[in-house]
Amino acid sequence: DVQLVESGGGLVQAGGSLRLSCTASGLNFAFISMGWFRQAPGKEREGVSCISWTGGTIYHKDSVKGRFTASRDNAKNTLYLQMNSLKPEDTAMYYCAADCFLSDRGHGASYWGQGTQVTVSS
């Protein structure tokens, strides 16, 4: 079975930083796109970042460009999301996803983690 386990969420003040990690098992990590999505209370889930299996193509949601950076370590089957200059509107449950796609026309994934909560206080 595919398992995606997120960690690194927490409470941080506005302007602070967090790094999320996602460890994957049960899939061929090195040859699948991986990404981050988030869902705030009362809002639809939205794509944050999707990184190709080579790490060479990364798409970030406009509102996080310049602040969030996704990366992957294929040797460790781990995906990361470095989040800097956090804002209260970044508060959400963050989900790791495998076999993702993300563009101006839509987003989605085949496999999902359980999520890790990120709360940014003002």
PDB file of all heavy atoms in Angstrom, residues 39-71:
ATOM      1  N   GLN A  39      -5.666  22.841   2.638  1.00  0.00           N
ATOM      2  CA  GLN A  39      -7.081  23.129   2.775  1.00  0.00           C
ATOM      3  C   GLN A  39      -7.310  23.881   4.073  1.00  0.00           C
ATOM      4  O   GLN A  39      -6.990  23.376   5.156  1.00  0.00           O
ATOM      5  CB  GLN A  39      -7.919  21.857   2.741  1.00  0.00           C
ATOM      6  CG  GLN A  39      -9.411  22.120   2.708  1.00  0.00           C
ATOM      7  CD  GLN A  39     -10.210  20.864   2.391  1.00  0.00           C
ATOM      8  OE1 GLN A  39      -9.741  19.748   2.524  1.00  0.00           O
ATOM      9  NE2 GLN A  39     -11.446  21.067   1.944  1.00  0.00           N
ATOM     10  N   ALA A  40      -7.853  25.081   3.937  1.00  0.00           N
ATOM     11  CA  ALA A  40      -8.200  25.893   5.096  1.00  0.00           C
ATOM     12  C   ALA A  40      -9.649  25.617   5.483  1.00  0.00           C
ATOM     13  O   ALA A  40     -10.447  25.199   4.637  1.00  0.00           O
ATOM     14  CB  ALA A  40      -8.004  27.371   4.773  1.00  0.00           C
ATOM     15  N   PRO A  41     -10.022  25.854   6.732  1.00  0.00           N
ATOM     16  CA  PRO A  41     -11.400  25.610   7.163  1.00  0.00           C
ATOM     17  C   PRO A  41     -12.392  26.369   6.297  1.00  0.00           C
ATOM     18  O   PRO A  41     -12.227  27.567   6.039  1.00  0.00           O
ATOM     19  CB  PRO A  41     -11.408  26.126   8.607  1.00  0.00           C
ATOM     20  CG  PRO A  41     -10.000  25.997   9.056  1.00  0.00           C
ATOM     21  CD  PRO A  41      -9.166  26.291   7.847  1.00  0.00           C
ATOM     22  N   GLY A  42     -13.389  25.650   5.802  1.00  0.00           N
ATOM     23  CA  GLY A  42     -14.424  26.274   5.010  1.00  0.00           C
ATOM     24  C   GLY A  42     -14.041  26.571   3.574  1.00  0.00           C
ATOM     25  O   GLY A  42     -14.831  27.179   2.839  1.00  0.00           O
ATOM     26  N   LYS A  43     -12.860  26.144   3.173  1.00  0.00           N
ATOM     27  CA  LYS A  43     -12.403  26.404   1.808  1.00  0.00           C
ATOM     28  C   LYS A  43     -12.090  25.099   1.092  1.00  0.00           C
ATOM     29  O   LYS A  43     -11.885  24.064   1.712  1.00  0.00           O
ATOM     30  CB  LYS A  43     -11.179  27.310   1.820  1.00  0.00           C
ATOM     31  CG  LYS A  43     -11.439  28.701   2.358  1.00  0.00           C
ATOM     32  CD  LYS A  43     -10.226  29.594   2.181  1.00  0.00           C
ATOM     33  CE  LYS A  43     -10.512  31.002   2.651  1.00  0.00           C
ATOM     34  NZ  LYS A  43      -9.328  31.895   2.466  1.00  0.00           N
ATOM     35  N   GLU A  44     -12.043  25.163  -0.227  1.00  0.00           N
ATOM     36  CA  GLU A  44     -11.689  23.995  -1.014  1.00  0.00           C
ATOM     37  C   GLU A  44     -10.175  23.744  -0.939  1.00  0.00           C
ATOM     38  O   GLU A  44      -9.392  24.664  -0.716  1.00  0.00           O
ATOM     39  CB  GLU A  44     -12.097  24.197  -2.473  1.00  0.00           C
ATOM     40  CG  GLU A  44     -13.591  24.238  -2.696  1.00  0.00           C
ATOM     41  CD  GLU A  44     -13.958  24.308  -4.168  1.00  0.00           C
ATOM     42  OE1 GLU A  44     -13.042  24.410  -5.009  1.00  0.00           O
ATOM     43  OE2 GLU A  44     -15.156  24.243  -4.479  1.00  0.00           O
ATOM     44  N   ARG A  45      -9.820  22.500  -1.141  1.00  0.00           N
ATOM     45  CA  ARG A  45      -8.400  22.167  -1.192  1.00  0.00           C
ATOM     46  C   ARG A  45      -7.783  22.827  -2.417  1.00  0.00           C
ATOM     47  O   ARG A  45      -8.390  22.861  -3.489  1.00  0.00           O
ATOM     48  CB  ARG A  45      -8.219  20.657  -1.239  1.00  0.00           C
ATOM     49  CG  ARG A  45      -6.765  20.212  -1.152  1.00  0.00           C
ATOM     50  CD  ARG A  45      -6.658  18.755  -0.796  1.00  0.00           C
ATOM     51  NE  ARG A  45      -7.413  17.911  -1.693  1.00  0.00           N
ATOM     52  CZ  ARG A  45      -7.682  16.632  -1.451  1.00  0.00           C
ATOM     53  NH1 ARG A  45      -7.225  16.060  -0.350  1.00  0.00           N
ATOM     54  NH2 ARG A  45      -8.370  15.933  -2.315  1.00  0.00           N
ATOM     55  N   GLU A  46      -6.564  23.326  -2.250  1.00  0.00           N
ATOM     56  CA  GLU A  46      -5.878  23.981  -3.358  1.00  0.00           C
ATOM     57  C   GLU A  46      -4.458  23.445  -3.491  1.00  0.00           C
ATOM     58  O   GLU A  46      -3.847  23.017  -2.514  1.00  0.00           O
ATOM     59  CB  GLU A  46      -5.835  25.497  -3.150  1.00  0.00           C
ATOM     60  CG  GLU A  46      -5.130  25.955  -1.888  1.00  0.00           C
ATOM     61  CD  GLU A  46      -5.172  27.464  -1.712  1.00  0.00           C
ATOM     62  OE1 GLU A  46      -5.885  28.145  -2.461  1.00  0.00           O
ATOM     63  OE2 GLU A  46      -4.468  27.962  -0.814  1.00  0.00           O
ATOM     64  N   GLY A  47      -3.970  23.469  -4.693  1.00  0.00           N
ATOM     65  CA  GLY A  47      -2.608  23.021  -4.942  1.00  0.00           C
ATOM     66  C   GLY A  47      -1.610  24.086  -4.545  1.00  0.00           C
ATOM     67  O   GLY A  47      -1.820  25.264  -4.805  1.00  0.00           O
ATOM     68  N   VAL A  48      -0.545  23.676  -3.917  1.00  0.00           N
ATOM     69  CA  VAL A  48       0.517  24.586  -3.509  1.00  0.00           C
ATOM     70  C   VAL A  48       1.744  24.410  -4.399  1.00  0.00           C
ATOM     71  O   VAL A  48       2.290  25.373  -4.922  1.00  0.00           O
ATOM     72  CB  VAL A  48       0.900  24.345  -2.034  1.00  0.00           C
ATOM     73  CG1 VAL A  48       2.098  25.209  -1.641  1.00  0.00           C
ATOM     74  CG2 VAL A  48      -0.278  24.627  -1.127  1.00  0.00           C
ATOM     75  N   SER A  49       2.139  23.164  -4.569  1.00  0.00           N
ATOM     76  CA  SER A  49       3.350  22.906  -5.341  1.00  0.00           C
ATOM     77  C   SER A  49       3.342  21.480  -5.859  1.00  0.00           C
ATOM     78  O   SER A  49       2.859  20.579  -5.178  1.00  0.00           O
ATOM     79  CB  SER A  49       4.583  23.130  -4.464  1.00  0.00           C
ATOM     80  OG  SER A  49       5.766  22.910  -5.191  1.00  0.00           O
ATOM     81  N   CYS A  50       3.870  21.278  -7.060  1.00  0.00           N
ATOM     82  CA  CYS A  50       3.999  19.943  -7.628  1.00  0.00           C
ATOM     83  C   CYS A  50       5.355  19.871  -8.309  1.00  0.00           C
ATOM     84  O   CYS A  50       5.666  20.730  -9.136  1.00  0.00           O
ATOM     85  CB  CYS A  50       2.864  19.659  -8.603  1.00  0.00           C
ATOM     86  SG  CYS A  50       2.839  17.988  -9.262  1.00  0.00           S
ATOM     87  N   ILE A  51       6.141  18.874  -7.959  1.00  0.00           N
ATOM     88  CA  ILE A  51       7.501  18.764  -8.469  1.00  0.00           C
ATOM     89  C   ILE A  51       7.637  17.472  -9.253  1.00  0.00           C
ATOM     90  O   ILE A  51       7.203  16.408  -8.809  1.00  0.00           O
ATOM     91  CB  ILE A  51       8.510  18.852  -7.296  1.00  0.00           C
ATOM     92  CG1 ILE A  51       9.948  18.794  -7.784  1.00  0.00           C
ATOM     93  CG2 ILE A  51       8.252  17.784  -6.243  1.00  0.00           C
ATOM     94  CD1 ILE A  51      10.955  19.132  -6.691  1.00  0.00           C
ATOM     95  N   SER A  52       8.233  17.565 -10.432  1.00  0.00           N
ATOM     96  CA  SER A  52       8.355  16.397 -11.295  1.00  0.00           C
ATOM     97  C   SER A  52       9.313  15.372 -10.682  1.00  0.00           C
ATOM     98  O   SER A  52      10.057  15.670  -9.759  1.00  0.00           O
ATOM     99  CB  SER A  52       8.854  16.808 -12.674  1.00  0.00           C
ATOM    100  OG  SER A  52      10.214  17.212 -12.589  1.00  0.00           O
ATOM    101  N   TRP A  53       9.305  14.179 -11.253  1.00  0.00           N
ATOM    102  CA  TRP A  53      10.137  13.124 -10.674  1.00  0.00           C
ATOM    103  C   TRP A  53      11.618  13.425 -10.828  1.00  0.00           C
ATOM    104  O   TRP A  53      12.440  12.942 -10.047  1.00  0.00           O
ATOM    105  CB  TRP A  53       9.791  11.755 -11.282  1.00  0.00           C
ATOM    106  CG  TRP A  53      10.054  11.617 -12.749  1.00  0.00           C
ATOM    107  CD1 TRP A  53       9.226  11.964 -13.774  1.00  0.00           C
ATOM    108  CD2 TRP A  53      11.225  11.060 -13.361  1.00  0.00           C
ATOM    109  NE1 TRP A  53       9.801  11.672 -14.979  1.00  0.00           N
ATOM    110  CE2 TRP A  53      11.022  11.104 -14.759  1.00  0.00           C
ATOM    111  CE3 TRP A  53      12.413  10.525 -12.871  1.00  0.00           C
ATOM    112  CZ2 TRP A  53      11.972  10.642 -15.662  1.00  0.00           C
ATOM    113  CZ3 TRP A  53      13.359  10.052 -13.771  1.00  0.00           C
ATOM    114  CH2 TRP A  53      13.132  10.123 -15.147  1.00  0.00           C
ATOM    115  N   THR A  54      11.977  14.248 -11.787  1.00  0.00           N
ATOM    116  CA  THR A  54      13.377  14.630 -11.944  1.00  0.00           C
ATOM    117  C   THR A  54      13.746  15.791 -11.029  1.00  0.00           C
ATOM    118  O   THR A  54      14.922  16.097 -10.854  1.00  0.00           O
ATOM    119  CB  THR A  54      13.678  15.052 -13.380  1.00  0.00           C
ATOM    120  OG1 THR A  54      12.931  16.236 -13.676  1.00  0.00           O
ATOM    121  CG2 THR A  54      13.311  13.954 -14.351  1.00  0.00           C
ATOM    122  N   GLY A  55      12.722  16.454 -10.473  1.00  0.00           N
ATOM    123  CA  GLY A  55      12.984  17.655  -9.685  1.00  0.00           C
ATOM    124  C   GLY A  55      13.215  18.867 -10.546  1.00  0.00           C
ATOM    125  O   GLY A  55      13.449  19.962 -10.051  1.00  0.00           O
ATOM    126  N   GLY A  56      13.115  18.673 -11.864  1.00  0.00           N
ATOM    127  CA  GLY A  56      13.443  19.747 -12.767  1.00  0.00           C
ATOM    128  C   GLY A  56      12.282  20.674 -13.103  1.00  0.00           C
ATOM    129  O   GLY A  56      12.482  21.752 -13.633  1.00  0.00           O
ATOM    130  N   THR A  57      11.099  20.271 -12.837  1.00  0.00           N
ATOM    131  CA  THR A  57       9.932  21.115 -13.130  1.00  0.00           C
ATOM    132  C   THR A  57       9.134  21.276 -11.855  1.00  0.00           C
ATOM    133  O   THR A  57       8.671  20.315 -11.296  1.00  0.00           O
ATOM    134  CB  THR A  57       9.046  20.467 -14.201  1.00  0.00           C
ATOM    135  OG1 THR A  57       9.822  20.259 -15.377  1.00  0.00           O
ATOM    136  CG2 THR A  57       7.858  21.356 -14.516  1.00  0.00           C
ATOM    137  N   ILE A  58       8.998  22.489 -11.408  1.00  0.00           N
ATOM    138  CA  ILE A  58       8.291  22.751 -10.171  1.00  0.00           C
ATOM    139  C   ILE A  58       7.243  23.829 -10.438  1.00  0.00           C
ATOM    140  O   ILE A  58       7.532  24.838 -11.060  1.00  0.00           O
ATOM    141  CB  ILE A  58       9.238  23.244  -9.064  1.00  0.00           C
ATOM    142  CG1 ILE A  58      10.383  22.245  -8.855  1.00  0.00           C
ATOM    143  CG2 ILE A  58       8.484  23.484  -7.760  1.00  0.00           C
ATOM    144  CD1 ILE A  58      11.450  22.734  -7.920  1.00  0.00           C
ATOM    145  N   TYR A  59       6.084  23.586  -9.986  1.00  0.00           N
ATOM    146  CA  TYR A  59       5.025  24.582 -10.129  1.00  0.00           C
ATOM    147  C   TYR A  59       4.577  24.994  -8.736  1.00  0.00           C
ATOM    148  O   TYR A  59       4.214  24.176  -7.918  1.00  0.00           O
ATOM    149  CB  TYR A  59       3.840  24.000 -10.896  1.00  0.00           C
ATOM    150  CG  TYR A  59       2.741  24.997 -11.153  1.00  0.00           C
ATOM    151  CD1 TYR A  59       2.689  25.707 -12.351  1.00  0.00           C
ATOM    152  CD2 TYR A  59       1.763  25.232 -10.205  1.00  0.00           C
ATOM    153  CE1 TYR A  59       1.673  26.621 -12.584  1.00  0.00           C
ATOM    154  CE2 TYR A  59       0.748  26.148 -10.425  1.00  0.00           C
ATOM    155  CZ  TYR A  59       0.709  26.833 -11.622  1.00  0.00           C
ATOM    156  OH  TYR A  59      -0.290  27.736 -11.852  1.00  0.00           O
ATOM    157  N   HIS A  60       4.584  26.270  -8.479  1.00  0.00           N
ATOM    158  CA  HIS A  60       4.104  26.775  -7.209  1.00  0.00           C
ATOM    159  C   HIS A  60       2.889  27.656  -7.446  1.00  0.00           C
ATOM    160  O   HIS A  60       2.836  28.424  -8.396  1.00  0.00           O
ATOM    161  CB  HIS A  60       5.177  27.623  -6.508  1.00  0.00           C
ATOM    162  CG  HIS A  60       6.341  26.836  -5.997  1.00  0.00           C
ATOM    163  ND1 HIS A  60       7.499  26.688  -6.700  1.00  0.00           N
ATOM    164  CD2 HIS A  60       6.516  26.162  -4.828  1.00  0.00           C
ATOM    165  CE1 HIS A  60       8.352  25.948  -5.995  1.00  0.00           C
ATOM    166  NE2 HIS A  60       7.784  25.632  -4.862  1.00  0.00           N
ATOM    167  N   LYS A  61       1.955  27.565  -6.546  1.00  0.00           N
ATOM    168  CA  LYS A  61       0.789  28.446  -6.571  1.00  0.00           C
ATOM    169  C   LYS A  61       1.274  29.898  -6.511  1.00  0.00           C
ATOM    170  O   LYS A  61       2.213  30.222  -5.799  1.00  0.00           O
ATOM    171  CB  LYS A  61      -0.104  28.129  -5.383  1.00  0.00           C
ATOM    172  CG  LYS A  61      -1.339  28.976  -5.240  1.00  0.00           C
ATOM    173  CD  LYS A  61      -2.149  28.517  -4.045  1.00  0.00           C
ATOM    174  CE  LYS A  61      -3.310  29.454  -3.786  1.00  0.00           C
ATOM    175  NZ  LYS A  61      -4.249  29.470  -4.929  1.00  0.00           N
ATOM    176  N   ASP A  62       0.630  30.787  -7.243  1.00  0.00           N
ATOM    177  CA  ASP A  62       1.073  32.170  -7.324  1.00  0.00           C
ATOM    178  C   ASP A  62       1.255  32.824  -5.960  1.00  0.00           C
ATOM    179  O   ASP A  62       2.211  33.556  -5.729  1.00  0.00           O
ATOM    180  CB  ASP A  62       0.085  32.996  -8.159  1.00  0.00           C
ATOM    181  CG  ASP A  62       0.227  32.730  -9.637  1.00  0.00           C
ATOM    182  OD1 ASP A  62       1.217  32.097 -10.047  1.00  0.00           O
ATOM    183  OD2 ASP A  62      -0.652  33.165 -10.401  1.00  0.00           O
ATOM    184  N   SER A  63       0.344  32.554  -5.061  1.00  0.00           N
ATOM    185  CA  SER A  63       0.372  33.240  -3.768  1.00  0.00           C
ATOM    186  C   SER A  63       1.535  32.809  -2.876  1.00  0.00           C
ATOM    187  O   SER A  63       1.808  33.452  -1.868  1.00  0.00           O
ATOM    188  CB  SER A  63      -0.944  33.033  -3.023  1.00  0.00           C
ATOM    189  OG  SER A  63      -1.128  31.664  -2.723  1.00  0.00           O
ATOM    190  N   VAL A  64       2.222  31.718  -3.243  1.00  0.00           N
ATOM    191  CA  VAL A  64       3.352  31.272  -2.426  1.00  0.00           C
ATOM    192  C   VAL A  64       4.680  31.411  -3.143  1.00  0.00           C
ATOM    193  O   VAL A  64       5.731  31.140  -2.554  1.00  0.00           O
ATOM    194  CB  VAL A  64       3.174  29.813  -1.948  1.00  0.00           C
ATOM    195  CG1 VAL A  64       1.826  29.641  -1.255  1.00  0.00           C
ATOM    196  CG2 VAL A  64       3.323  28.833  -3.101  1.00  0.00           C
ATOM    197  N   LYS A  65       4.645  31.832  -4.398  1.00  0.00           N
ATOM    198  CA  LYS A  65       5.892  31.981  -5.151  1.00  0.00           C
ATOM    199  C   LYS A  65       6.803  32.985  -4.462  1.00  0.00           C
ATOM    200  O   LYS A  65       6.349  34.039  -4.027  1.00  0.00           O
ATOM    201  CB  LYS A  65       5.588  32.415  -6.591  1.00  0.00           C
ATOM    202  CG  LYS A  65       5.050  31.307  -7.456  1.00  0.00           C
ATOM    203  CD  LYS A  65       4.783  31.790  -8.874  1.00  0.00           C
ATOM    204  CE  LYS A  65       4.240  30.666  -9.736  1.00  0.00           C
ATOM    205  NZ  LYS A  65       3.904  31.106 -11.104  1.00  0.00           N
ATOM    206  N   GLY A  66       8.053  32.638  -4.361  1.00  0.00           N
ATOM    207  CA  GLY A  66       9.020  33.490  -3.686  1.00  0.00           C
ATOM    208  C   GLY A  66       9.095  33.259  -2.196  1.00  0.00           C
ATOM    209  O   GLY A  66      10.014  33.756  -1.538  1.00  0.00           O
ATOM    210  N   ARG A  67       8.120  32.533  -1.643  1.00  0.00           N
ATOM    211  CA  ARG A  67       8.117  32.249  -0.202  1.00  0.00           C
ATOM    212  C   ARG A  67       8.249  30.754   0.093  1.00  0.00           C
ATOM    213  O   ARG A  67       8.893  30.377   1.070  1.00  0.00           O
ATOM    214  CB  ARG A  67       6.817  32.768   0.425  1.00  0.00           C
ATOM    215  CG  ARG A  67       6.607  34.252   0.271  1.00  0.00           C
ATOM    216  CD  ARG A  67       5.420  34.732   1.101  1.00  0.00           C
ATOM    217  NE  ARG A  67       4.168  34.119   0.673  1.00  0.00           N
ATOM    218  CZ  ARG A  67       3.370  33.415   1.490  1.00  0.00           C
ATOM    219  NH1 ARG A  67       3.705  33.226   2.749  1.00  0.00           N
ATOM    220  NH2 ARG A  67       2.240  32.914   1.030  1.00  0.00           N
ATOM    221  N   PHE A  68       7.630  29.929  -0.719  1.00  0.00           N
ATOM    222  CA  PHE A  68       7.664  28.480  -0.509  1.00  0.00           C
ATOM    223  C   PHE A  68       8.542  27.831  -1.568  1.00  0.00           C
ATOM    224  O   PHE A  68       8.516  28.218  -2.739  1.00  0.00           O
ATOM    225  CB  PHE A  68       6.266  27.881  -0.625  1.00  0.00           C
ATOM    226  CG  PHE A  68       5.312  28.247   0.469  1.00  0.00           C
ATOM    227  CD1 PHE A  68       5.589  29.224   1.404  1.00  0.00           C
ATOM    228  CD2 PHE A  68       4.086  27.586   0.564  1.00  0.00           C
ATOM    229  CE1 PHE A  68       4.697  29.559   2.410  1.00  0.00           C
ATOM    230  CE2 PHE A  68       3.172  27.899   1.564  1.00  0.00           C
ATOM    231  CZ  PHE A  68       3.484  28.891   2.480  1.00  0.00           C
ATOM    232  N   THR A  69       9.271  26.813  -1.158  1.00  0.00           N
ATOM    233  CA  THR A  69      10.100  26.066  -2.097  1.00  0.00           C
ATOM    234  C   THR A  69       9.948  24.574  -1.842  1.00  0.00           C
ATOM    235  O   THR A  69      10.209  24.094  -0.730  1.00  0.00           O
ATOM    236  CB  THR A  69      11.578  26.445  -1.964  1.00  0.00           C
ATOM    237  OG1 THR A  69      11.742  27.845  -2.173  1.00  0.00           O
ATOM    238  CG2 THR A  69      12.413  25.689  -3.001  1.00  0.00           C
ATOM    239  N   ALA A  70       9.522  23.856  -2.865  1.00  0.00           N
ATOM    240  CA  ALA A  70       9.421  22.398  -2.771  1.00  0.00           C
ATOM    241  C   ALA A  70      10.715  21.772  -3.275  1.00  0.00           C
ATOM    242  O   ALA A  70      11.335  22.275  -4.218  1.00  0.00           O
ATOM    243  CB  ALA A  70       8.246  21.893  -3.592  1.00  0.00           C
ATOM    244  N   SER A  71      11.096  20.675  -2.657  1.00  0.00           N
ATOM    245  CA  SER A  71      12.276  19.936  -3.106  1.00  0.00           C
ATOM    246  C   SER A  71      12.076  18.464  -2.751  1.00  0.00           C
ATOM    247  O   SER A  71      11.177  18.110  -1.989  1.00  0.00           O
ATOM    248  CB  SER A  71      13.546  20.480  -2.456  1.00  0.00           C
ATOM    249  OG  SER A  71      13.495  20.344  -1.049  1.00  0.00           O
TER     250      SER A  71
END
